[in-house]
Amino acid sequence: MHHDISTRPPLAAREPATRARRRTGRTAFACVTLLTLTALLSGCGDDGGHAASVKAAGDQSSAATSSSDSMDSMSGMNMGDPNATPAYDIPGDTVVKGAFKLLDTRPVGMDDVKGTAWLAQGGKGTTVTVKLTGLKPGASYMAHLHAKHCSVDNGGGHFQFEKGGSTMPPNEVHLAFTADKMGMGMTTVSNDRKTGTGAVALVIHPSAELDNRIACADFDF
């Protein structure tokens, strides 16, 4: 008579081992998922854009992480007031102005941008006014005083009262504004220090595309 003698452990002994294997499988899956998410988030974190304040390539816009981060970091700073007295109307100030010239770095659709920049200096410091047409209606824009003329690296880097200092106002002069429904934009900003002849140009670009300088205006001192 043949007896089938099984070497398998009783069911009660097998169940803990089965549960252990299941737990091990779940743990491994969770680890793989976590590693995958970490890799994706790390990739997003490297997707920088001047960001920053606004440091664009060669534009020294301070935060190159993204233009929105730049704008957020500038909240509360003096970035312009469209209702302020424009530079050309300040009594007793010495005023220089320049017409905007289109730059090769301008985004598509910016071929009709025209305008003027004014820089006034007097007893209360420096006042800058910018007025442009041909902009995209409802879009936001940034402008900065630059230390080089438009023919040199499209204005080069930002003008700074203290070179190598903060890339934010008041050490730099920044203007932020939004074009109206007709594509016109105008604003004025003041600084209690005089730029002298150190700020020789003003450059404008879209807030969302800080690397793409639209136009530059030279000041004729």
Side-chain angles (χ1 to χ4, degrees):
M1 181 174 181
H2 177 70
H3 295 281
D4 183 13
I5 301 176
S6 174
T7 59
R8 298 176 63 190
L11 179 60
R14 295 200 306 269
E15 287 182 347
T18 300
R19 288 195 295 271
R21 286 195 297 272
R22 289 175 179 172
R23 285 196 298 272
T24 300
R26 288 195 297 268
T27 301
F29 176 77
C31 290
V32 171
T33 302
L34 180 59
L35 289 172
T36 301
L37 288 173
T38 301
L40 289 173
L41 290 174
S42 297
C44 292
D46 291 335
D47 187 16
H50 116 325
S53 120
V54 189
K55 236 177 196 185
D59 196 327
Q60 292 185 352
S61 299
S62 57
T65 50
S66 72
S67 61
S68 59
D69 290 342
S70 298
M71 294 298 289
D72 290 342
S73 67
M74 293 183 188
S75 60
M77 294 185 179
N78 183 8
M79 300 286 287
D81 179 359
N83 298 314
T85 301
Y88 51 78
D89 274 346
I90 299 178
D93 276 15
T94 300
V95 182
V96 292
K97 69 177 182 178
F100 280 101
K101 299 177 182 179
L102 294 175
L103 301 175
D104 292 339
T105 54
R106 65 186 182 276
V108 175
M110 296 280 98
D111 295 343
D112 295 326
V113 174
K114 298 178 181 179
T116 305
W118 294 266
L119 187 151
Q121 298 184 74
K124 294 185 178 180
T126 301
T127 300
V128 181
T129 296
V130 59
K131 183 176 182 180
L132 298 114
T133 60
L135 301 171
K136 182 179 179 180
S140 60
Y141 296 87
M142 292 289 300
H144 309 90
L145 284 182
H146 282 249
K148 293 183 180 180
H149 288 288
C150 302
S151 59
V152 183
D153 298 328
N154 288 343
H158 289 178
F159 165 81
Q160 295 186 322
F161 289 98
E162 295 180 10
K163 294 182 179 180
S166 172
T167 57
M168 298 288 192
N171 194 44
E172 293 187 1
V173 177
H174 299 184
L175 298 90
F177 59 95
T178 301
D180 64 17
K181 61 182 180 180
M182 300 299 292
M184 191 274 281
M186 179 177 180
T187 194
T188 297
V189 70
S190 296
N191 192 294
D192 60 7
R193 300 171 68 176
K194 293 183 180 181
T195 61
T197 57
V200 297
L202 190 142
V203 175
I204 179 174
H205 49 74
S207 297
E209 300 175 277
L210 295 172
D211 289 345
N212 296 340
R213 303 183 185 193
I214 300 171
C216 179
D218 282 317
F219 294 119
D220 185 18
F221 286 103

